[in-house]
Structure formats: structure tokens, C-alpha cells
Amino acid sequence: MSTPYPFTAIVGQDDLRLGLLLNAVSPAVGGVLVRGEKGTAKSTAVRALAALMPEVSVVPGCRFSCDPLSPDPACPDGPHAEAAGVSRAARTVELPVGASEDRLVGALDIERALSEGVKAFEPGLLADAHRGILYVDEVNLLHDHLVDLLLDAAAMGASYVEREGVSVRHAARFLLVGTMNPEEGELRPQLLDRFGLTVEVAASRDTDERVEVVRRRLAYDDDPEGFAARWAGEEGALRERIAAARALLPRVVLGDGVLRQIAATCAAFEVDGMRADIVMARTATALAAWAGREEVTADDVRQAALLALPHRRRRNPFDAPGLDEDKLDQTLDEAGQQENNDGDDQPDPDPDPDGGGDDDGGGGGGGVPPQADGDRTPPRGEGGSDSDTPSGASGGGPDAPGRSTGAEQQPVASAEPFRTKTLSVPGLGEGAAGRRSRARTEHGRTTGARRPQGSLTKLHLAATVQAAAPHQRARGRSGRGLVVRRDDLRQATREGREGNLVLFVVDASGSMAARQRMSAVKGAVLSLLLDAYQRRDKVGLVTFRGKEAEVALPPTSSVDAAASRLEALPTGGRTPLAAGLLKAHDVLRVERLRDPSRRPLLVVVTDGRATGGPEPVALAGRAGRLHRSEGTASVVVDCESGYVRLGLAGELARELGGTAVTLDELRADSIAGLVKDVTAAGRAA
């Protein structure tokens, strides 16, 4: 086994180290989510923490790491007789992104369960991580149902496996650590809430600090054992401090005044539910124990808020996580003053207005998480007035030929997003689990049975019994049990929903440049992006204007990245519609090679006009037919406005073999209905 990088040798990253250490002191805090760019020592810090965790005593031979002093009475390997425990190091178990449900929670031997009636259970990673660390790298890329199982087990301290009438339960208490790069996509807000703490990490911009990082890393790579030996003293001291803080934790007092500050802070920042209050209380207690104190202070509450609240204020993918520290200080001061006033039995005839409080607003017990411009909320424009429009776009109206192809115009803010109709890809796919189009999945309603390909994961009981029944006499069945062989087992086929690749092709030409019109268009695309986020799609963005098209955002799971590119999108110039469609074709061709099971949905946002070059309309038609020939499902969002409509977007939709909807029809509450199915390209042919 390779020598891990010492935890105390990590340069900087005070917030990351503090968040991990607080969970080591009090696992009840609920784990930590580490958000940050690549190459910021996220994984290094988590793996290094394992060497600092105290050893655990386990029942010899127990696959579920039961404590010999208080073994789990429901342990599948129990009941355990009294015996001396065996000490071992706490484990760090890594959950890979591509893990299956059976690998996470364990698997039952269905054949033995049916034929012998025994609970033959093979433990999964949750059992391995019991009383240790469970580390999930790139947790935002993990399938939703696995994240749900993982967080449920972390919250309940137990894992349950229910399958075909056979039930197994075992203890699963662990320190949960997840790391993620926000550029690759976000976790849903309700899943973010299940992590106790969150920290933001970024590479240092200080030259001396970066030099020290490189120097230590090179020294470690040259001689891992020698480098670790040089830090052994600091590691031992930190290990002893963790043990001392754990021993002190039960004696830490959480006073009523501190509880009032915690409740007032959560109420002031309008976090949902009560989990934030509980996590803040546990974190503040752990901070006090870490500092060697038996009483929680206001500084502990402040630091706890900075660690426990930012990710709980994020309600949609376009909100930037963060906390207004001035508001936090004001809330804590007001709650503290109210507690002092309530506690005064005899009023002071000459109160000191500056009275006695500690005006040091700095956080205690560790670094303060960096904040990105406080509470950043991008403004939503209401369209603006025409007097704001640059001179290059004024006069004659935005749709007038030859008048809107001049100078580039500055980006306009998008209108408020709205709930959109569900645009789905027809047919039955086999892509990644999601919530958009019908697909064969591991979860969903059972539609049939087949012979298993590989290991059996979902048993179709009726089909298995039906396959085994005709052979019972030949197999010499004499008792009540059914004689089942491996060839009899049948896998259930299930139908659920998949996520798709939604590729937006947005017209940013001069014909779309009117401020009110482009604001509405951006609002519609933003609404579709929000829908894609909720349905777990990948998204990409192609824009076209002037003489060419460009890939503004390659396909990614980060819809907030797409939203930020959309907000900064300038307009102006001619309308190279064909170039936009051909660029989209190139993007989809590459994605089909990279992920052939993920079906695409092409969303073209345009008024259908095409200008520039010889025969631009005919060329756009040929590009549309190219998509139709490859079976790409498509929809055209018709942005044409005014009393006189040319119907060019509808013509483009027919060339694509798709469907055209207007901006008004895109709304879910429009009279056209709630669901709009996209016609498959080439089906009519």
C-alpha cells in the first residue's frame, strides 16, 4: 500500500482542512461536500485524513465491523458472542462514479434465497465503510438513485436491502465526504441539503504559497516514506488533538443564548426545514471541542453558519452559493442583544450603548470560506426601453431588412424563466438515468422479463417460477422448496426515464437584436435550461450570427455554465442559419462517438430567417435534412413576432422533421396543453 500524503503537509486550504477535522471530531455533523476547481488537493486531503482517524475495535470475523462492546443486534453475521475485539485502522472506502446499486448496498444471492430460504448476503461498500470514511469523488456525476441511497444510509445510520420478500439490514455509520467540480454540473438542492457542511476550495494566487506546494509535492513524489517521516511529529500531534476533542465533546455546553442565535440565523437566511439548525448546533459544538472549550461561543456559531448554510440557500442551478457576512454579523448581534435583554432581571438605569459585547467579527476555530461576491443574483431585465438601444440598432425596427445587420449590440438580461412544456425524444432509449424520455432502465415499472446478461440484479419472480415449474419432477423435487437452477432465473425488464443531450442552437443575429425580443428569447432558453437541469440532461450551446457559428458551450452537465454563457451573449450581424445547423451536426457527431446511448434533442431558437452567402435559405434546408436523415429529434422555437409572419420557422421544422412551437406555446400553462412530443426525424419517410 502506498504511503499517503501527510494531512499536515497540505499548504493552505484552511477551510477544507477544518471541515474534515470537524467531522472527524463529530461524525454526527453529517459529512462535508468539497466544491472546487480541479487540482486543489481535494482528494489528497480526504485520503490523508484516514491516517489521523483513531483505530476501531471490531468483532473478529464480522464483515460489518461491529463494535465488540455494543454489537449490532440485527447484524447479519450475528448474534455475536462475547469476545475480545481486534483493533484495526479506520477504513477509507471510495465509491466510484460507475458503481452499481448492488456494489453500493450489497447483493442477495437470489438463487439460494429461493431454493434454500436463507439470507445469503454479500456486503457492499456501505458495510465496508461502517465506522470509517466513505469518499465519493465527483459526487455530482453519481446517478441520482445512488446518491439517494447513500444519503439515506448516512442519515439513518443503517442500510436496508429489500428484494423479492427478503430483507436485510445492517449498521452503516460513516464519515461521508464528497468532492465535486461545479463546472461539471451541480447536485440538486435537496441533495445538497443532506451534506452537513460545504467548503469552497480554489488554488492560491500567492506566488510563495504556490512555490511551497510544488516543492512539497516534488519531495513527496521522490521519496514518499522519507517525506511522511519528516511530518510524523505533526501528524501525531494532530491525531492526539482529534482524540482529545472527541473525549471533550460530550461535556460541551450549548446554551440557550447560542441556540437562539442559531435559530435566528437560519430564519434570517430563509433556509428550508430544520436540518440547518441541527447541523449548525452540532458544528458549533464540535468547534468548541476542537478549540478545547466546554462552552460554545458566538464565534463558533458564526463559523458554523459559514460552513453549514451557503449550500442550503441555493434553490436553483442559477443561484451562486454564498452568504452575506454583514447580514450574518448583524443577525448574530441582534439575537445576542435580545438574549441579554431577556435575561436582565433588573434593568440598568444607565445602559452602555456600546455594552460589553465582543466586536471582533472574525471567525473562530479556522478559516472562513471564501465568498463569491456575496449574494449574486443576475438581474432579470424587463426588456428595457428603446432609448437604451445602441444607435446601430435604432430606426426602422429590428426586423427591417438591411437595418439590423450592423454593429454588434451589447448583451441584454433575460426575462424571468417560466415552467415549460416537456419536450421528449420519441421511442425507447437506453441512455443514462434521467427524467425526460422513455427508456429501458434499472428502475421503473416492470414491463417484461429476459434471461440475465451477466449478474442478476432485478429478479422477475413470476417468470422465474414459470421457467422452473415444468422441470420439478425431472429434478427430483420431494419437499416444499422449489428446485431452482441458474438457467431458470429471469431478469426483469423495466421502463423508466432517461436523460438526453439537449443541444441549443440559438440565433444571435441582427434580426433577433431588439431588446425586448432578445430578452424574451433568453428567458425562454433559460427556462428550457432549468427544465434540462431538473430532468438530469446534458446541455450544449451553439450560437450563430455574422458570418459563422460557434460552440459557446460544449456538451456538459453544468447548466449554470450554459446560463452564464447565455447571459453574456451579444447580438448583431447577418443570420448564417445553415452554419449554425452544420456546427450542431458536428457537435452531435462527436457526442455520438463519445456516448452512443445518450439520445440527442436539437432545440433551434430562431425566427427562421437566413441571410448571407448564395441561396442561404436553400442551404439551411439542406442542413436541416441532414439532421433528419440521421434521426435526430428536433424542435424549433419560433421567435418571429409582429402582425406579419412569414412562417419560416415552420418551414425549417419541416426540413428537420421536427416540431415548431412559438414562445407562447412553450409555456406549460398555455392552452395548447402540458406536453408536446417532438416528432422523430425521418419517421414520415
Side-chain angles (χ1 to χ4, degrees):
M1 182 177 178
S2 61
T3 303
Y5 191 91
F7 190 88
T8 51
I10 296 173
V11 180
Q13 306 296 9
D14 294 338
D15 309 313
L16 169 60
R17 290 187 293 165
L18 178 63
L20 293 173
L21 289 171
L22 291 177
N23 275 274
V25 171
S26 176
V29 165
V32 58
L33 176 65
V34 185
R35 298 163 44 92
E37 58 196 27
K38 52 187 177 293
T40 49
K42 300 189 297 293
S43 301
T44 299
V46 176
R47 296 187 177 104
L49 180 66
L52 302 175
M53 299 289 286
E55 289 189 341
V56 295
S57 179
V58 300
V59 173
C62 178
R63 297 174 298 167
F64 301 88
S65 302
C66 279
D67 186 346
L69 298 180
S70 57
D72 181 7
C75 176
D77 285 354
H80 297 297
E82 293 185 6
V86 178
S87 294
R88 63 163 174 78
R91 294 172 179 159
T92 296
V93 177
E94 295 192 30
L95 174 63
V97 171
S100 65
E101 180 181 339
D102 286 348
R103 185 71 187 98
L104 176 64
V105 302
L108 291 170
D109 189 331
I110 300 297
E111 185 176 0
R112 289 189 62 193
L114 287 175
S115 59
E116 302 176 28
V118 297
K119 296 180 181 179
F121 181 69
E122 184 65 28
L125 295 177
L126 292 179
D128 293 341
H130 180 46
R131 304 176 68 196
I133 300 173
L134 182 59
Y135 171 45
V136 188
D137 193 14
E138 306 294 353
V139 65
N140 52 324
L141 303 182
L142 202 64
H143 286 310
D144 278 359
H145 73 281
L146 293 183
V147 177
D148 289 334
L149 290 170
L150 177 66
L151 295 177
D152 283 344
M156 296 186 295
S159 175
Y160 294 85
V161 181
E162 303 282 348
R163 183 169 298 172
E164 313 304 340
V166 181
S167 176
V168 174
R169 173 213 167 273
H170 65 83
R173 292 183 294 275
F174 45 80
L175 193 167
L176 176 63
V177 182
T179 59
M180 59 175 284
N181 183 349
E183 294 177 355
E184 297 173 340
E186 286 283 0
L187 278 172
R188 288 180 286 148
Q190 53 268 50
L191 297 181
L192 282 172
D193 182 59
R194 302 296 289 273
F195 282 93
L197 310 179
T198 184
V199 294
E200 298 276 348
V201 295
S204 173
R205 300 298 183 257
D206 181 80
T207 302
D208 293 337
E209 195 167 289
R210 294 175 74 98
V211 168
E212 186 61 23
V213 170
V214 175
R215 181 183 291 119
R216 293 187 186 182
R217 186 69 208 190
L218 293 178
Y220 170 77
D221 291 341
D222 290 341
D223 182 12
E225 290 79 7
F227 183 82
R230 290 196 293 274
W231 290 88
E234 288 84 348
E235 292 283 286
L238 188 58
R239 191 178 298 109
E240 291 177 0
R241 185 177 177 185
I242 292 174
R246 281 191 168 192
L248 179 61
L249 187 66
R251 303 198 301 272
V252 175
V253 176
L254 191 68
D256 290 342
V258 170
L259 281 174
R260 180 178 292 277
Q261 287 182 315
I262 291 172
T265 301
C266 293
F269 285 99
E270 299 179 348
V271 294
D272 296 332
M274 295 297 298
R275 184 175 284 117
D277 304 63
I278 297 171
V279 170
M280 274 189 63
R282 290 172 174 167
T283 305
T285 304
L287 280 163
W290 178 245
R293 289 182 273 102
E294 294 189 5
E295 186 173 354
V296 177
T297 67
D299 284 342
D300 296 329
V301 176
R302 185 182 193 278
Q303 184 67 62
L306 291 171
L307 292 171
L309 296 188
H311 61 300
R312 291 186 165 87
R313 299 192 64 244
R314 191 175 189 275
R315 288 178 168 81
N316 69 63
F318 312 131
D319 290 340
L323 213 61
D324 185 338
E325 295 191 40
D326 291 337
K327 180 179 178 180
L328 173 61
D329 291 335
Q330 180 181 354
T331 302
L332 292 174
D333 289 343
E334 291 175 353
Q337 292 173 6
Q338 182 178 353
E339 177 66 20
N340 290 335
N341 293 337
D342 292 345
D344 287 341
D345 295 333
Q346 297 180 353
D348 188 348
D350 185 19
D352 181 3
D354 299 326
D358 185 1
D359 60 358
D360 181 9
V368 177
Q371 304 300 321
D373 300 331
D375 293 328
R376 293 186 304 173
T377 302
R380 300 293 180 209
E382 51 256 343
S385 64
D386 290 341
S387 61
D388 296 331
T389 307
S391 58
S394 62
D399 294 336
R403 304 300 296 270
S404 56
T405 58
E408 177 181 299
Q409 301 191 30
Q410 294 300 314
V412 298
S414 67
E416 287 291 338
F418 52 84
R419 189 166 65 91
T420 67
K421 294 177 182 177
T422 302
L423 305 176
S424 59
V425 179
L428 197 62
E430 295 181 347
R435 299 179 178 180
R436 183 172 296 279
S437 305
R438 295 174 54 227
R440 298 183 184 91
T441 61
E442 287 293 318
H443 300 270
R445 64 185 182 89
T446 301
T447 58
R450 59 175 174 82
R451 291 182 181 273
Q453 300 171 350
S455 61
L456 179 71
T457 56
K458 299 292 182 182
L459 178 74
H460 194 295
L461 182 58
T464 298
V465 172
Q466 187 176 9
H471 308 289
Q472 296 306 295
R473 186 184 299 275
R475 294 172 183 174
R477 173 187 172 187
S478 58
R480 298 179 58 186
L482 190 67
V483 182
V484 178
R485 295 181 179 173
R486 186 167 299 276
D487 291 342
D488 301 326
L489 300 179
R490 294 294 182 267
Q491 175 85 21
T493 58
R494 302 193 175 190
E495 182 179 310
R497 293 281 171 175
E498 67 177 358
N500 298 108
L501 166 59
V502 182
L503 182 62
F504 294 93
V505 182
V506 180
D507 185 349
S509 65
S511 65
M512 305 282 287
R515 296 184 72 84
Q516 289 186 350
R517 186 176 181 190
M518 197 60 198
S519 177
V521 169
K522 284 187 175 183
V525 178
L526 197 66
S527 303
L528 290 168
L529 282 171
L530 182 58
D531 181 69
Y533 165 78
Q534 294 168 341
R535 299 184 186 282
R536 316 308 291 168
D537 294 317
K538 290 180 67 175
V539 296
L541 180 62
V542 173
T543 63
F544 59 93
R545 66 185 183 88
K547 296 182 179 180
E548 61 185 11
E550 65 172 349
V551 181
L553 182 71
T556 176
S557 297
S558 179
V559 296
D560 50 342
S564 63
R565 302 290 173 87
L566 180 70
E567 289 285 354
L569 179 66
T571 57
R574 294 186 178 274
T575 312
L577 177 56
L581 295 175
L582 291 175
K583 181 67 71 173
H585 178 267
D586 292 341
V587 172
L588 294 180
R589 177 177 54 82
V590 173
E591 286 301 308
R592 283 190 179 100
L593 296 175
R594 183 175 299 162
D595 188 0
S597 64
R598 188 181 288 270
R599 298 187 295 164
L601 173 61
L602 185 68
V603 179
V604 185
V605 185
T606 181
D607 58 7
R609 297 174 186 236
T611 59
E615 299 183 343
V617 176
L619 187 59
R622 288 197 294 271
R625 290 192 293 274
L626 179 62
H627 283 281
R628 183 175 64 181
S629 67
E630 296 188 352
T632 303
S634 60
V635 60
V636 178
V637 180
D638 184 0
C639 302
E640 191 174 25
S641 60
Y643 293 105
V644 179
R645 296 176 180 262
L646 303 179
L648 297 176
E651 291 290 339
L652 176 62
R654 283 188 284 275
E655 297 286 7
L656 287 165
T659 302
V661 295
T662 66
L663 288 175
D664 290 336
E665 292 172 343
L666 191 61
R667 293 179 178 271
D669 54 359
S670 70
I671 60 174
L674 295 179
V675 177
K676 188 82 172 181
D677 290 328
V678 181
T679 304
R683 288 179 72 184

